[in-house]
Amino acid sequence: MKKAKKIVLAGIFIAMIVILSRFLAIKLPGYKIGFSYIPAYLGGMLLGPIYNAVILGLADLIGSTLFPFGSYFVGYTITSLINGTIYGLVLHKIYKEELSNKQIIIRLICASVLTQILVNGVLNTFWISITQDKAFFVIAGARFIKEIIMVPVHVITMFPIIKVIKPAVNKFLRDDND
């Protein structure tokens, strides 16, 4: 894929993440449930770890600057950078490869477990404990339950999306010299 296409896609994914996370998310005390993971997964799949880390990092910076939920904290941006990298490492070029449904599901599970449980469950809980001055282990239990529940939700929603867009991606986004 040419650099211009990558930059355009990155901009689209940043806009989608900001809109989905800031305006179309369900906000509960201590939790935010939304669909911003969809463009994050797709960015990792199409653009790889470096671009996707930048996408998620910039989306966090733009979203927290233009539409803040509270004061800015760099820890959440670090979490976004790590998540973008993981999605890119696990899912990159999945659209090019001839993978079975089982292989796609395994990659989705790996990406979701790493990001939801390890990064969001541990790291974001740590950031929340710092920013809200709460004991880590007091909030960790409920947050881990939410993150564990989100793993199958992500896999179940992303699998059909990937299956549907894979032919379109192969047809319209690939270059001859890819």
Side-chain angles (χ1 to χ4, degrees):
M1 187 181 319
K2 293 189 185 216
K3 191 172 185 175
K5 284 183 184 180
K6 287 183 177 184
I7 292 170
V8 169
L9 275 175
I12 291 168
F13 289 142
I14 290 168
M16 288 173 65
I17 291 168
V18 170
I19 291 166
L20 290 170
S21 67
R22 299 294 168 166
F23 300 110
L24 300 175
I26 300 166
K27 295 167 192 81
L28 304 169
Y31 305 103
K32 184 176 72 171
I33 300 171
F35 298 98
S36 61
Y37 66 90
I38 295 171
Y41 274 77
L42 295 176
M45 181 180 97
L46 297 173
L47 301 173
I50 295 171
Y51 267 90
N52 208 41
V54 171
I55 289 167
L56 270 63
L58 285 175
D60 182 72
L61 286 171
I62 292 167
S64 62
T65 303
L66 297 179
F67 314 105
F69 292 140
S71 60
Y72 174 76
F73 182 68
V74 72
Y76 298 119
T77 305
I78 292 169
T79 299
S80 295
L81 292 167
I82 293 169
N83 281 341
T85 303
I86 290 170
Y87 291 139
L89 289 171
V90 176
L91 301 173
H92 188 48
K93 297 189 180 178
I94 202 171
Y95 67 94
K96 286 185 179 182
E97 301 171 8
E98 292 299 323
L99 299 174
S100 68
N101 289 344
K102 183 179 178 181
Q103 290 171 314
I104 293 171
I105 290 170
I106 289 170
R107 286 197 188 189
L108 287 171
I109 291 170
C110 289
S112 189
V113 165
L114 289 170
T115 57
Q116 290 304 119
I117 296 172
L118 293 180
V119 180
N120 294 345
V122 175
L123 202 52
N124 267 2
T125 303
F126 178 67
W127 302 140
I128 290 169
S129 72
I130 290 172
T131 58
Q132 296 181 4
D133 198 30
K134 295 182 180 178
F136 177 86
F137 291 105
V138 171
I139 58 176
R143 287 193 47 80
F144 274 110
I145 292 169
K146 180 250 184 192
E147 300 302 342
I148 289 169
I149 290 169
M150 292 309 292
V151 169
V153 170
H154 285 195
V155 174
I156 290 167
T157 56
M158 286 309 302
F159 180 72
I161 291 171
I162 288 172
K163 292 298 282 185
V164 167
I165 70 160
K166 190 173 177 178
V169 168
N170 280 326
K171 184 176 181 181
F172 296 111
L173 294 181
R174 289 184 57 174
D175 292 334
D176 292 332
N177 59 359
D178 224 7

